[in-house]
Amino acid sequence: MLHALAAVAIAATALTPTALTEPPATEHCAVEIIATADESVSAEDVVCFDTEAERDDYVSAQTASPLSRAGSVKLGTAYKGTNLTGSSLAFWGTGTCASATYGFATLASDWVTGMRSITGSGCSVWVYSAANYGGSSITCLPTCNSLGSVTGTAKSLVFRP
C-alpha cells in the first residue's frame, strides 16, 4: 500500500507546475522629439500606456494643447515585433518631415534591444546600428516590417522628408 501512495504523490507533483509565468506585458509608449536637435531617448523621456489607443489619445492631447508647439504631429512608430506588432514607441514633435529632419543620436537601451520594425507617418526613416548615426543602416520608405541587419541592434535613427 505504501508504494501506491508514493506513486500518487510523485504523479501529482509531476503534474503541478512549479512556476507559472505570464506573457510579457505589451506597452505602447510615446516620446517628444525636436527637429534637428540630435536628441537622446532615455527612459525618463518615455511615457507608456497599456493600449495604442491610450497612447494615441495622449499624443493627440499633447499636440492639440495650447502649451504644445504649433503643428506637433506623430512622426513615426517603432515596434518590438516584426510586421509592426508588439510593444510600440511613437515619436512626435513639431512640424512634419516635409519641413524638418528629426534625429535621435542615442536610443534608450530598452528600445535598442527590442526594435524589430518601424514606420514613418509621412517620413522616411533611417535606422543605424551604432550611436551617432554610425554602423550598418537600413532605410524605410516609410515602413520596414523587419529591420534586417539592424534588428535588435538599432542605436540611433532619423526621420527625414
Side-chain angles (χ1 to χ4, degrees), residues 18-38:
T18 56
L20 296 176
T21 59
E22 294 184 30
T26 301
E27 295 182 300
H28 300 283
C29 306
V31 63
E32 181 182 14
I33 60 178
I34 300 170
T36 63
D38 280 340

Side-chain angles (χ1 to χ4, degrees), residues 42-123:
S42 67
E44 297 82 39
D45 300 324
V46 177
V47 179
C48 295
F49 303 89
D50 291 332
T51 67
E52 285 183 271
E54 289 173 320
R55 189 260 329 273
D56 290 344
D57 286 347
Y58 168 81
V59 170
S60 293
Q62 298 305 305
T63 59
S65 165
L67 300 175
S68 70
R69 295 172 187 86
S72 293
V73 296
K74 185 163 78 170
L75 300 166
T77 306
Y79 294 85
K80 288 191 176 182
T82 57
N83 299 313
L84 311 178
T85 62
S87 293
S88 61
L89 176 62
F91 298 88
W92 63 277
T94 60
T96 65
C97 286
S99 61
T101 296
Y102 298 83
F104 282 100
T106 307
L107 296 172
S109 61
D110 179 13
W111 283 94
V112 169
T113 58
M115 191 185 313
R116 303 277 186 265
S117 58
I118 194 164
T119 187
S121 300
C123 307

Side-chain angles (χ1 to χ4, degrees), residues 84 117-120 123 125 139-146:
L84 311 178
S117 58
I118 194 164
T119 187
C123 307
V125 187
T139 304
C140 306
L141 304 168
T143 299
C144 285
N145 289 318
S146 173

